[in-house]
Amino acid sequence: MGCPRRKALSLLIILVPVHLHRALSQGASPAGPRKPFLERLRRLEEQFRRFQEVTLTHLQDLARNYNLSYDVDARFQSLARKTQAVALAVNQSHAAVQGDLSHLRTRMQKMQRRSRKVESRLLALGAALSERQHTQDREDQEARRGALSSLAPAVRALQDTLAHLTALVQGQDARLDALEARMQGAGPSTATPALTPAQPLPPPGLPSPSSPAEHRGRQVLRPPETGDLPQDSAGHPQGTWAPPGPGSQRAWPPEKPGETCDVGPVLVFPNASTQNVAFLSPGFPWGLRALSVCSWVRTTSGRLGTLLSYATEENDNKLVLHGGGKSLAPGAIHFVIGDPAFRELPLQPLLDGQWHHVCVIWTSILGRYWLHVDRRLAATGSHFRAGYEIPAGGSLVLGQEQDSVGGGFDSSEAFVGSLAGLAIWDRALVPGEVAKLATGREVPGGAILTLDDAQWRGGFVQQVNCSCLELCP
């Protein structure tokens, strides 16, 4: 804006000397018809004043234009700052929306995985129930067919025996009639001979009552005495059954109270926080075609939660011992190998708040599995993941159920309680080894993972060393 103002001043400085020079040259001309000098000077002064007014007006217009352009620049700068602030707010809101969308997308994916998991488990449960029903029907039909086939010869033999006995009875009746007739013909003075009842003939193929074969094969039988059989805690001989009393329920026989010592470290999971998790590192060193998981367990929460979870990138439920879901009965647990295949196992005794020894055993040979609770066989079956191999390289955790490798925990699936003496073998333990392990007499060799391999970060998991389980807090 300064450039037009300088041009106007330069023009004024040039025009004023020119105008004065013209006026003086006219005043110095020869006398004659020229006007007086003073009148010309006055006109020149008037013209100069007019020119000055015009110049001032022009300069004022220039100044107003300069102020207007300055205001426009200030407004443009203010508008630019506001635009930047608006753009920054838009970027922040966009980032927040993107974060919310990402979180929502993660939650949706998790819900979809869970829904697929539930659907697959329901389908597997339906297939298992259908297979069990078909198997039971076939077994019932075979049992009825076998019973009928075994009864048919017996019925035929009974019919033959009955026909033979009927013939014998008819023969005896005829002999009696003949004897009566002879007695009536002899009269009362005739001595009555001593009659010996006729021995009935044995059925065909059987020895006679007086034959030596019968005496050789005959044995003296006596009922067993009560003192000959070992008795249980209720006073009944073992191997016998006593009818239950009114309102009685099937219960586990009580164990004789005692102390269980030298079981190793104890892990305590005090609450259902998702931070309470222990990792068994480095996991399975190789693929497993057989498995034995044994541990002392105590829970006071009224539900079992997740004892063990093994996840890989391929499947987050390669191996799970999980209880406490809405679809499970109280005390039941899902034994999952390669989701969606699972078996429901009964663990009701664990809900009494006391220590119990649990062993879950599986082998890929015929898909056999066994559940031992306090040395007793609580459940068994077959055709469960026959020929399957649990792969290596996954994440193995205690106390939480994984929805992803090493994470995706849910507090409603957490285990609340204590674990002691947990160990995992890559083979199927035999009942004798399970009994020795449950009584603390001997720990089978070859365990691939124990609680000594457990690691935990944060949370409230505690490791307690107790000489005996009964002394643990």
PDB file of all heavy atoms in Angstrom, residues 266-270 456 460-464:
ATOM      1  N   VAL A 266       1.927 -74.938  46.286  1.00  0.00           N
ATOM      2  CA  VAL A 266       0.487 -74.720  46.155  1.00  0.00           C
ATOM      3  C   VAL A 266       0.274 -73.346  45.535  1.00  0.00           C
ATOM      4  O   VAL A 266       0.842 -72.349  45.998  1.00  0.00           O
ATOM      5  CB  VAL A 266      -0.223 -74.807  47.525  1.00  0.00           C
ATOM      6  CG1 VAL A 266      -1.716 -74.539  47.363  1.00  0.00           C
ATOM      7  CG2 VAL A 266       0.009 -76.167  48.166  1.00  0.00           C
ATOM      8  N   LEU A 267      -0.524 -73.282  44.465  1.00  0.00           N
ATOM      9  CA  LEU A 267      -0.895 -72.006  43.846  1.00  0.00           C
ATOM     10  C   LEU A 267      -2.291 -71.619  44.314  1.00  0.00           C
ATOM     11  O   LEU A 267      -3.221 -72.423  44.215  1.00  0.00           O
ATOM     12  CB  LEU A 267      -0.869 -72.099  42.323  1.00  0.00           C
ATOM     13  CG  LEU A 267       0.499 -72.118  41.635  1.00  0.00           C
ATOM     14  CD1 LEU A 267       0.324 -72.047  40.128  1.00  0.00           C
ATOM     15  CD2 LEU A 267       1.357 -70.960  42.100  1.00  0.00           C
ATOM     16  N   VAL A 268      -2.428 -70.377  44.804  1.00  0.00           N
ATOM     17  CA  VAL A 268      -3.703 -69.876  45.324  1.00  0.00           C
ATOM     18  C   VAL A 268      -4.215 -68.802  44.378  1.00  0.00           C
ATOM     19  O   VAL A 268      -3.516 -67.809  44.110  1.00  0.00           O
ATOM     20  CB  VAL A 268      -3.541 -69.322  46.753  1.00  0.00           C
ATOM     21  CG1 VAL A 268      -4.886 -68.821  47.276  1.00  0.00           C
ATOM     22  CG2 VAL A 268      -2.985 -70.399  47.679  1.00  0.00           C
ATOM     23  N   PHE A 269      -5.443 -68.988  43.867  1.00  0.00           N
ATOM     24  CA  PHE A 269      -6.134 -68.004  43.033  1.00  0.00           C
ATOM     25  C   PHE A 269      -7.249 -67.406  43.890  1.00  0.00           C
ATOM     26  O   PHE A 269      -8.332 -67.988  44.009  1.00  0.00           O
ATOM     27  CB  PHE A 269      -6.706 -68.654  41.773  1.00  0.00           C
ATOM     28  CG  PHE A 269      -5.666 -69.266  40.875  1.00  0.00           C
ATOM     29  CD1 PHE A 269      -5.156 -70.531  41.147  1.00  0.00           C
ATOM     30  CD2 PHE A 269      -5.187 -68.585  39.774  1.00  0.00           C
ATOM     31  CE1 PHE A 269      -4.199 -71.106  40.330  1.00  0.00           C
ATOM     32  CE2 PHE A 269      -4.229 -69.156  38.950  1.00  0.00           C
ATOM     33  CZ  PHE A 269      -3.727 -70.417  39.225  1.00  0.00           C
ATOM     34  N   PRO A 270      -7.031 -66.226  44.512  1.00  0.00           N
ATOM     35  CA  PRO A 270      -7.962 -65.745  45.544  1.00  0.00           C
ATOM     36  C   PRO A 270      -9.279 -65.204  45.018  1.00  0.00           C
ATOM     37  O   PRO A 270     -10.269 -65.206  45.747  1.00  0.00           O
ATOM     38  CB  PRO A 270      -7.157 -64.646  46.252  1.00  0.00           C
ATOM     39  CG  PRO A 270      -6.216 -64.148  45.203  1.00  0.00           C
ATOM     40  CD  PRO A 270      -5.869 -65.326  44.353  1.00  0.00           C
ATOM     41  N   TRP A 456       3.922 -66.303  36.678  1.00  0.00           N
ATOM     42  CA  TRP A 456       2.785 -65.382  36.671  1.00  0.00           C
ATOM     43  C   TRP A 456       3.296 -63.953  36.790  1.00  0.00           C
ATOM     44  O   TRP A 456       4.341 -63.671  37.374  1.00  0.00           O
ATOM     45  CB  TRP A 456       1.803 -65.708  37.802  1.00  0.00           C
ATOM     46  CG  TRP A 456       2.406 -65.728  39.171  1.00  0.00           C
ATOM     47  CD1 TRP A 456       2.510 -64.719  40.074  1.00  0.00           C
ATOM     48  CD2 TRP A 456       3.021 -66.882  39.791  1.00  0.00           C
ATOM     49  NE1 TRP A 456       3.139 -65.149  41.209  1.00  0.00           N
ATOM     50  CE2 TRP A 456       3.460 -66.462  41.071  1.00  0.00           C
ATOM     51  CE3 TRP A 456       3.227 -68.182  39.398  1.00  0.00           C
ATOM     52  CZ2 TRP A 456       4.099 -67.326  41.955  1.00  0.00           C
ATOM     53  CZ3 TRP A 456       3.861 -69.030  40.273  1.00  0.00           C
ATOM     54  CH2 TRP A 456       4.288 -68.614  41.536  1.00  0.00           C
ATOM     55  N   PHE A 460      -3.025 -61.438  41.673  1.00  0.00           N
ATOM     56  CA  PHE A 460      -2.981 -61.784  43.089  1.00  0.00           C
ATOM     57  C   PHE A 460      -2.661 -63.260  43.316  1.00  0.00           C
ATOM     58  O   PHE A 460      -2.936 -63.801  44.391  1.00  0.00           O
ATOM     59  CB  PHE A 460      -4.328 -61.447  43.743  1.00  0.00           C
ATOM     60  CG  PHE A 460      -4.745 -60.014  43.557  1.00  0.00           C
ATOM     61  CD1 PHE A 460      -5.619 -59.654  42.535  1.00  0.00           C
ATOM     62  CD2 PHE A 460      -4.242 -59.024  44.375  1.00  0.00           C
ATOM     63  CE1 PHE A 460      -5.990 -58.336  42.358  1.00  0.00           C
ATOM     64  CE2 PHE A 460      -4.613 -57.703  44.205  1.00  0.00           C
ATOM     65  CZ  PHE A 460      -5.490 -57.353  43.195  1.00  0.00           C
ATOM     66  N   VAL A 461      -2.102 -63.939  42.314  1.00  0.00           N
ATOM     67  CA  VAL A 461      -1.745 -65.347  42.465  1.00  0.00           C
ATOM     68  C   VAL A 461      -0.604 -65.462  43.473  1.00  0.00           C
ATOM     69  O   VAL A 461       0.375 -64.706  43.422  1.00  0.00           O
ATOM     70  CB  VAL A 461      -1.345 -65.956  41.115  1.00  0.00           C
ATOM     71  CG1 VAL A 461      -0.933 -67.408  41.287  1.00  0.00           C
ATOM     72  CG2 VAL A 461      -2.491 -65.847  40.128  1.00  0.00           C
ATOM     73  N   GLN A 462      -0.736 -66.411  44.401  1.00  0.00           N
ATOM     74  CA  GLN A 462       0.278 -66.616  45.424  1.00  0.00           C
ATOM     75  C   GLN A 462       0.765 -68.057  45.381  1.00  0.00           C
ATOM     76  O   GLN A 462      -0.010 -68.976  45.123  1.00  0.00           O
ATOM     77  CB  GLN A 462      -0.288 -66.316  46.819  1.00  0.00           C
ATOM     78  CG  GLN A 462      -0.804 -64.897  46.977  1.00  0.00           C
ATOM     79  CD  GLN A 462      -1.447 -64.681  48.327  1.00  0.00           C
ATOM     80  OE1 GLN A 462      -1.479 -65.584  49.157  1.00  0.00           O
ATOM     81  NE2 GLN A 462      -1.954 -63.493  48.557  1.00  0.00           N
ATOM     82  N   GLN A 463       2.047 -68.239  45.672  1.00  0.00           N
ATOM     83  CA  GLN A 463       2.624 -69.572  45.822  1.00  0.00           C
ATOM     84  C   GLN A 463       2.911 -69.813  47.294  1.00  0.00           C
ATOM     85  O   GLN A 463       3.600 -69.028  47.946  1.00  0.00           O
ATOM     86  CB  GLN A 463       3.905 -69.716  45.002  1.00  0.00           C
ATOM     87  CG  GLN A 463       4.544 -71.102  45.143  1.00  0.00           C
ATOM     88  CD  GLN A 463       5.736 -71.280  44.227  1.00  0.00           C
ATOM     89  OE1 GLN A 463       5.876 -70.554  43.257  1.00  0.00           O
ATOM     90  NE2 GLN A 463       6.587 -72.233  44.528  1.00  0.00           N
ATOM     91  N   VAL A 464       2.342 -70.904  47.813  1.00  0.00           N
ATOM     92  CA  VAL A 464       2.465 -71.230  49.226  1.00  0.00           C
ATOM     93  C   VAL A 464       3.127 -72.598  49.327  1.00  0.00           C
ATOM     94  O   VAL A 464       2.793 -73.523  48.584  1.00  0.00           O
ATOM     95  CB  VAL A 464       1.081 -71.247  49.916  1.00  0.00           C
ATOM     96  CG1 VAL A 464       1.225 -71.558  51.399  1.00  0.00           C
ATOM     97  CG2 VAL A 464       0.381 -69.909  49.717  1.00  0.00           C
TER      98      VAL A 464
END
